[in-house]
Amino acid sequence: MSDDRDLVDGRGSREEPPEPVARVPWDDVYEEESDAHEDELDLDALEADGGAIVPLPDPEADEDDVDERILDSLEDREAADAAYAQLLERAGESAVEPRLDATARAVELLGDPQRSYGVVHVTGTNGKGSTARVAEALLRAHGLRTGLLTSPHLERVTERILIDGEPVSDATFARVWDETRPFLDLVDGELEDDGRRRMTFFEAITVLAFAIFADAPVDVAVVEVGMGGTWDSTNVADGDVAVITPIALDHTNRLGTTVEAIAGEKAGIVKPGSIVVSAEQEPEALAVIEARAAEVGAARVLLEGRDFARESTLAVGGQLLTVRGLAAEYEDQPLPLLGRHQGQNAALALVAVESFLGGGTRPIEQDVLSTAFSAVVSPGRLEVVGTDPTVVVDAAHNPHGAQSLATALQEVFSFEHVQLVLGMVEGKDAAGVLRVLEPHVEEVVVTESESERAMPADDLARIAVEVLGAERVTVEPVLGRAVELAREQAEDRGGAVVVAGSITLLGAVQAKARVERWMHR
């Protein structure tokens, strides 16, 4: 499909896309915002409200006004749910298309909204979402208006797209979808004329997110790659900073069967003039990243252990993190995230923000750092969602992620008895996950989520029996009953429950905990 194909509307006239908004230097934006609001910015109010100034309700408002607002809210939620239903009519997230041209065509018709703000682009095998969340919190604490795109969501689709640290409103999600959909339909028609599949769910929601960020408008968007990098839909954006978390084997049926091949796909987010911030990598992965940076003319490659470093110690409710950054050393910073790997994610995010705001020359002020770190959350990552017994959910879905979970079970928690509830999606290395976790759990209850990609519980059970033995494996396809069974076993033995695997599984467990009122607050 040619990118300059004529686009003709129903009246036979050519429909011209709007002019894209010019980008501006982000050092200048930061300095102007800081100068303009230095005396009027209420950081306490910002922190309390998640980064957004929310007007207080009028105490004199009558009941009719309150009822009207409630009705409006319900209508907005219904509209957002309807938009989501239309998105779900598209090929699902398992239907990955190794292409960029469809997404590029759609954003072109919208005036390339992804070029109207700065971008921090995050890829890697594990830790992408947490790294993106910490980076967004740091940028927001500097007074910038932020967007955040992550995937997948736990409970509602609006969790994927955040404005100033909060899920996009139902009203905005529905409105921008209605404005964007005609352009997606035009691209669908072009694709079908070429005998190709119309835009997928992930392609469409990526375009929607970029449009929502421009609509806000945001100063900077932190964008998590869905899969890989080179042909991921998010790669129509050119990151000012490209962040690469540790690379390991995952999605081998699509990205390649070696770390080197997978690194080649992920390094595709490195663009001319960008700054690359990378975690420590296997030598073959690092060689690929540095070769890509040299090939496209990236400004710098900053490597953990060479250009910056971090140390962390266990603390109540998280850890104390020390980062030797580019512009300063940040000692003993409280970070309310569990797990040594979260310290690495936070360090990557901190250096990425140093790079974005000042090219690594401007230290992050202590009050800004404290505000950001204190507010950071990473849903579904070593998250305690229940007590009596303790229930921990973690998105470990490959051996590398399982190793981080296993380390945390040793270093962070002191559980004597652990009941594992595990649900995986097709195509994942379930045996590898189980082999890593086997020494740390007593029994496993295998189950499945409602995802179309879920591995059937009986299939997962066969794998689990091979690793743990039949006496340590219970099959319960219904997730709710699987969790209750594990909770009963843990309560009887004075132990804990760990729920791991797919994100959809974790979201369902959180919803169950909330409804049944055993969710930890």
Side-chain angles (χ1 to χ4, degrees):
M1 180 181 68
S2 172
D3 282 346
D4 60 358
R5 166 180 290 185
D6 286 347
L7 179 64
V8 179
D9 64 20
R11 297 177 300 279
S13 61
R14 179 177 174 82
E15 185 176 330
E16 295 292 342
E19 289 295 321
V21 180
R23 294 178 66 168
V24 297
W26 295 105
D27 284 355
D28 295 344
V29 168
Y30 170 68
E31 289 170 358
E32 290 170 6
E33 290 287 331
S34 297
D35 292 342
H37 301 294
E38 186 176 19
D39 297 326
E40 63 189 50
L41 187 63
D42 186 341
L43 290 177
D44 291 335
L46 283 172
E47 181 179 2
D49 293 321
I53 301 293
V54 179
L56 293 174
D58 182 356
E60 298 181 359
D62 59 33
E63 291 184 4
D64 289 342
D65 289 339
V66 173
D67 290 342
E68 186 174 341
R69 287 200 297 271
I70 292 173
L71 287 174
D72 287 345
S73 177
L74 291 173
E75 290 174 358
D76 291 340
R77 186 180 180 97
E78 289 177 359
D81 289 344
Y84 182 43
Q86 291 168 2
L87 278 161
L88 289 176
E89 293 172 0
R90 297 176 174 273
E93 292 180 274
S94 60
V96 177
E97 288 284 351
R99 66 187 184 192
L100 270 185
D101 62 327
T103 308
R105 177 65 169 150
V107 292
E108 176 195 19
L109 295 174
L110 288 166
D112 282 318
Q114 80 283 5
R115 302 192 188 284
S116 65
Y117 37 79
V119 174
V120 175
H121 207 175
V122 185
T123 191
T125 299
N126 290 300
K128 302 189 300 293
S130 296
T131 301
R133 288 178 183 277
V134 178
E136 183 277 331
L138 283 165
L139 290 162
R140 177 161 38 94
H142 278 88
L144 296 178
R145 190 160 206 213
T146 58
L148 175 65
L149 173 62
T150 61
S151 61
H153 58 274
L154 284 172
E155 295 184 53
R156 293 201 70 220
V157 68
T158 51
E159 297 167 15
R160 295 177 181 238
I161 304 170
L162 271 59
I163 302 294
D164 284 336
E166 294 293 330
V168 61
S169 70
D170 289 331
T172 298
F173 186 89
R175 174 179 57 80
V176 180
W177 168 251
D178 286 341
E179 295 168 354
T180 303
R181 186 177 55 177
F183 296 93
L184 301 182
D185 291 342
L186 287 167
V187 177
D188 288 340
E190 293 180 351
L191 291 169
E192 289 172 345
D193 286 346
D194 286 346
R196 302 166 65 192
R197 174 187 282 170
R198 70 185 192 135
M199 294 186 72
T200 66
F201 172 92
F202 190 76
E203 289 173 325
I205 202 166
T206 299
V207 174
L208 176 61
F210 288 149
I212 287 173
F213 295 155
D215 176 78
V218 302
D219 299 314
V220 54
V222 182
V223 177
E224 178 193 1
V225 164
M227 181 189 299
T230 299
W231 41 260
D232 186 78
S233 298
T234 63
N235 206 29
V236 298
D238 295 329
D240 301 278
V241 179
V243 184
I244 306 177
T245 68
I247 296 173
L249 295 178
D250 196 19
H251 299 294
T252 53
N253 60 327
R254 298 187 182 277
L255 301 181
T257 57
T258 66
V259 168
E260 184 177 15
I262 293 172
E265 292 293 341
K266 295 185 183 296
I269 71 166
V270 177
K271 302 294 177 64
S274 65
I275 297 176
V276 183
V277 178
S278 175
E280 287 185 280
Q281 305 286 359
E282 296 292 333
E284 57 268 38
L286 178 60
V288 171
I289 293 168
E290 292 187 322
R292 166 69 180 182
E295 175 189 352
V296 302
R300 302 172 69 183
V301 176
L302 302 169
L303 179 66
E304 180 188 8
R306 182 185 70 193
D307 302 294
F308 62 96
R310 47 92 191 184
E311 295 179 359
S312 62
T313 56
L314 187 65
V316 176
Q319 57 193 292
L320 293 177
L321 178 65
T322 295
V323 180
R324 174 174 58 79
L326 306 178
E329 181 162 332
Y330 310 91
E331 296 185 4
D332 293 333
Q333 303 297 318
L335 180 70
L337 298 177
L338 300 174
R340 190 181 301 274
H341 59 292
Q342 293 286 27
Q344 180 182 49
N345 296 334
L348 287 172
L350 187 154
V351 173
V353 171
E354 280 188 318
S355 300
F356 180 83
L357 289 178
T361 63
R362 179 186 294 123
I364 297 175
E365 297 296 333
Q366 180 58 53
D367 60 339
V368 171
L369 190 58
S370 298
T371 297
F373 275 10
S374 66
V376 165
V377 294
S378 190
R381 276 74 176 179
L382 278 179
E383 185 179 9
V384 178
V385 300
T387 55
D388 298 323
T390 300
V391 179
V392 178
V393 297
D394 188 77
H397 59 277
N398 55 41
H400 188 268
Q403 186 58 62
S404 295
L405 172 57
T407 300
L409 289 175
Q410 284 185 306
E411 296 182 352
V412 178
F413 302 103
S414 56
F415 303 139
E416 291 188 12
H417 309 281
V418 174
Q419 307 298 314
L420 175 66
V421 178
L422 185 68
M424 303 284 288
V425 296
E426 294 281 9
K428 294 294 184 179
D429 183 4
V433 169
L434 284 160
R435 280 193 291 268
V436 172
L437 295 179
E438 184 275 331
H440 307 280
V441 304
E442 284 191 356
E443 298 175 349
V444 58
V445 182
V446 298
T447 188
E448 59 191 72
S449 72
E450 295 183 358
S451 168
E452 63 179 12
R453 301 168 55 200
M455 180 184 294
D458 288 339
D459 293 350
L460 181 56
R462 282 190 284 272
I463 298 171
V465 167
E466 290 178 3
V467 176
L468 287 88
E471 68 282 358
R472 296 171 64 189
V473 178
T474 302
V475 186
E476 178 45 77
V478 179
L479 175 58
R481 292 204 291 262
V483 172
E484 280 310 304
L485 178 59
R487 291 183 73 223
E488 290 169 5
Q489 292 172 337
E491 196 165 18
D492 290 344
R493 301 170 190 180
V497 176
V498 173
V499 184
S502 71
I503 287 287
T504 52
L505 190 83
L506 310 187
V509 171
Q510 286 197 349
K512 175 181 174 65
R514 185 179 299 107
V515 169
E516 297 179 0
R517 299 181 181 276
W518 52 265
M519 188 169 191
H520 174 69
R521 298 286 182 185

